[in-house]
Amino acid sequence: MDAQDNITQLLHKAHAGDGQALDALLPQIYQRLRELARRQLGRESGAHTLSATALVHETFLNLLGEGRLQFSDREHFFAYAVTAMRHALIDRARRNTTRRRHAALHVDDDISADGALELAALEQAFARLAALDPRLARIADLRLAAGLSSTEIGNLLGVTDRTVEREWNKARAFLSACLGSGDHVQ
């Protein structure tokens, strides 16, 4: 059994309430979650008040608290975790922006509000893409947020690498147009 299959089986057992499976699962997914958290934090402009480790812990505790450990395989788990991380960062940025407004601090503090605006704009662009074409949004999310390759995305969605590449190009063009420039989406 390879590591991917083992993670999938541990996810299924943990969802069923097996505490030992949960204990065995965390060391196997922790490093990948930290990589994904660093990637998410790297996309955020401005000062970070949250470390990759803290983001992983917050996300994992939220997943446990919501009982969201039922995933068909590890790709689904990581894709969901990345979305949860992005939402946590957006919520944190909004809370910080609101706090700054209420505290009536110096105008210079608006610089870090730019990161919140960029995250909110990206989230809105993803929402618009999802409304237009959910599969394009899924491919973009798996590519950008989860860092999956075309082959991994194709396996996950049951399509060819070529289809993933073609649809990724469409999604990237749409997101870039929503964000106002072709330079935003790599």
Side-chain angles (χ1 to χ4, degrees), residues 62-79:
N62 286 340
L63 291 173
L64 286 175
E66 295 173 2
R68 285 289 310 164
L69 287 178
Q70 182 178 6
F71 299 96
S72 59
D73 55 33
R74 76 175 195 78
E75 282 86 7
H76 282 123
F77 170 77
F78 288 124

Side-chain angles (χ1 to χ4, degrees), residues 1-185:
M1 177 186 315
D2 69 355
Q4 291 182 10
D5 291 336
N6 189 39
I7 290 171
T8 299
Q9 287 192 356
L10 289 171
L11 283 166
H12 290 284
K13 289 178 182 178
H15 177 69
D18 184 341
Q20 289 179 338
L22 185 59
D23 290 342
L25 175 65
L26 192 54
Q28 292 189 36
I29 62 173
Y30 189 76
Q31 190 56 38
R32 177 71 175 144
L33 287 173
R34 279 184 45 85
E35 291 168 13
L36 294 172
R38 279 193 295 275
R39 178 178 281 194
Q40 288 297 313
L41 290 168
R43 292 182 192 284
E44 181 183 351
S45 299
H48 301 295
T49 59
L50 194 63
S51 69
T53 301
L55 181 56
V56 167
H57 291 187
E58 181 177 327
T59 301
F60 198 74
L61 289 174
N62 286 340
L63 291 173
L64 286 175
E66 295 173 2
R68 285 289 310 164
L69 287 178
Q70 182 178 6
F71 299 96
S72 59
D73 55 33
R74 76 175 195 78
E75 282 86 7
H76 282 123
F77 170 77
F78 288 124
Y80 187 87
V82 164
T83 302
M85 286 178 195
R86 188 171 61 242
H87 287 226
L89 289 173
I90 289 168
D91 290 344
R92 180 175 287 272
R94 285 180 179 152
R95 281 192 307 270
N96 288 341
T97 300
T98 301
R99 264 189 233 121
R100 277 192 299 277
R101 281 187 194 135
H102 288 287
L105 295 176
H106 301 284
V107 175
D108 292 341
D109 286 339
D110 287 338
I111 293 170
S112 58
D114 290 343
L117 293 176
E118 287 177 17
L119 282 171
L122 184 59
E123 189 64 22
Q124 280 184 328
F126 266 99
R128 288 179 61 198
L129 180 59
L132 181 68
D133 189 327
R135 188 163 86 173
L136 289 182
R138 181 99 167 115
I139 287 171
D141 196 36
L142 291 170
R143 179 54 118 347
L144 289 172
L148 297 181
S149 69
S150 294
T151 302
E152 291 170 318
I153 295 169
N155 290 338
L156 185 62
L157 300 179
V159 297
T160 66
D161 296 1
R162 176 87 173 109
T163 298
V164 171
E165 285 298 320
R166 188 173 47 251
E167 294 196 355
W168 161 238
N169 287 331
K170 289 179 197 175
R172 183 174 49 194
F174 180 87
L175 292 171
S176 293
C178 286
L179 297 172
S181 166
D183 297 334
H184 283 91
V185 181

